[in-house]
Amino acid sequence: MISIIHENSEILVINKPCGLAVQGGKGINHSLDKDLSIQTGYRIFLVHRLDKDTSGLMIVARNAAAASKWTKLIGSKDVRKEYVAVCIGTLKQKKGIITDDLIQHGQEKTAVTEYQVEKEWSINCTKDGQTTEVFLSRIRLKLQTGRMHQIRIHLAKQNCPIAGDDLHGNFKINKLLKKEAGIKTLQLFSVKLTLPDGKTFELPVE
């Protein structure tokens, strides 16, 4: 069952679980668009996306006309989105903007991510009798552009990859965290959505 946070005549605001693909395709048995359509009893239209392993707040439309409207609203930044990531390592500058271009589909694309470090701490992970101190950061992020895996790649380029990221992350430390800290999934969450009318939805951050 997918949690519906808010609904009106045009959209649903939902809490997408980690591990659920947004859209169906080859080899995908369950997807948000399919499962939520079955759950609600009417067809759901996508207006933006989250990575399969990213969880949290997301907007979907209830009909084609609403989908066209809300796709434009999100593209024009009238809908504001914020994310929180738990990362391996620390950033020298605790607040700033990452502007590294990304290569996507063979082309160099501008990518801009605002960030602010909210918390830093460390945990001790032991393997084969050896203890490793792992430094972690909780970082709040806002996207000015919406490239594929933008947050994940930008943070990895800053030597502060997201914990649990098995594509762009620190694989060795991920294994330690999985065993010692129970971190088994990508630690990236869509935690806040602000609609054009100012209505805000926010998930608690532990």
Side-chain angles (χ1 to χ4, degrees):
M1 186 72 71
I2 297 166
S3 175
I4 298 172
I5 306 296
H6 169 78
E7 59 184 305
N8 60 30
S9 61
E10 294 184 340
I11 62 168
L12 304 176
V13 177
I14 60 106
N15 185 359
K16 187 189 88 66
C18 174
L20 180 64
V22 168
Q23 192 168 29
K26 187 177 180 179
I28 298 175
N29 294 323
H30 290 278
S31 62
L32 173 68
D33 57 351
K34 179 182 176 181
D35 289 6
L36 190 55
S37 294
I38 294 171
Q39 180 179 322
T40 59
Y42 52 85
R43 183 183 172 190
I44 290 297
F45 293 78
L46 299 174
V47 297
H48 68 118
R49 284 166 169 74
L50 291 178
D51 292 345
K52 178 181 177 181
D53 294 324
T54 302
S55 63
L57 297 172
M58 186 176 169
I59 295 171
V60 297
R62 302 181 66 151
N63 55 64
S68 177
K69 172 183 174 180
W70 283 88
T71 298
K72 292 173 183 174
L73 286 171
I74 290 170
S76 66
K77 308 294 190 303
D78 286 330
V79 175
R80 298 192 300 278
K81 297 176 283 184
E82 293 184 22
Y83 300 79
V84 164
V86 176
C87 299
I88 299 166
T90 58
L91 294 169
K92 290 182 179 179
Q93 301 294 328
K94 305 310 175 187
K95 183 178 181 180
I97 299 176
I98 303 170
T99 58
D100 294 326
D101 291 347
L102 303 182
I103 303 297
Q104 302 208 324
H105 307 296
Q107 294 184 320
E108 190 171 278
K109 300 283 188 178
T110 300
V112 182
T113 305
E114 295 181 49
Y115 73 88
Q116 181 166 356
V117 177
E118 294 187 329
K119 181 182 178 182
E120 296 177 339
W121 71 102
S122 67
I123 61 174
N124 290 323
C125 296
T126 302
K127 182 181 180 182
D128 300 328
Q130 288 197 331
T131 299
T132 301
E133 185 178 15
V134 178
F135 292 91
L136 298 169
S137 302
R138 188 177 75 205
I139 303 173
R140 186 168 289 262
L141 305 117
K142 298 178 185 178
L143 294 178
Q144 292 187 16
T145 54
R147 308 303 180 194
M148 184 182 295
H149 293 183
Q150 178 175 319
I151 291 174
R152 297 165 69 175
I153 296 171
H154 266 176
L155 289 171
K157 283 188 170 187
Q158 299 296 313
N159 294 316
C160 198
I162 299 174
D165 189 341
D166 288 329
L167 186 60
H168 305 286
N170 185 319
F171 312 119
K172 181 180 178 181
I173 299 299
N174 281 343
K175 285 185 177 180
L176 286 176
L177 291 174
K178 186 174 183 179
K179 181 181 178 182
E180 299 294 327
I183 295 177
K184 301 177 181 179
T185 59
L186 180 73
Q187 297 298 290
L188 177 62
F189 314 97
S190 172
V191 298
K192 188 175 181 180
L193 275 175
T194 304
L195 304 186
D197 63 2
K199 188 182 292 292
T200 299
F201 305 94
E202 190 164 6
L203 297 177
V205 178
E206 296 180 2

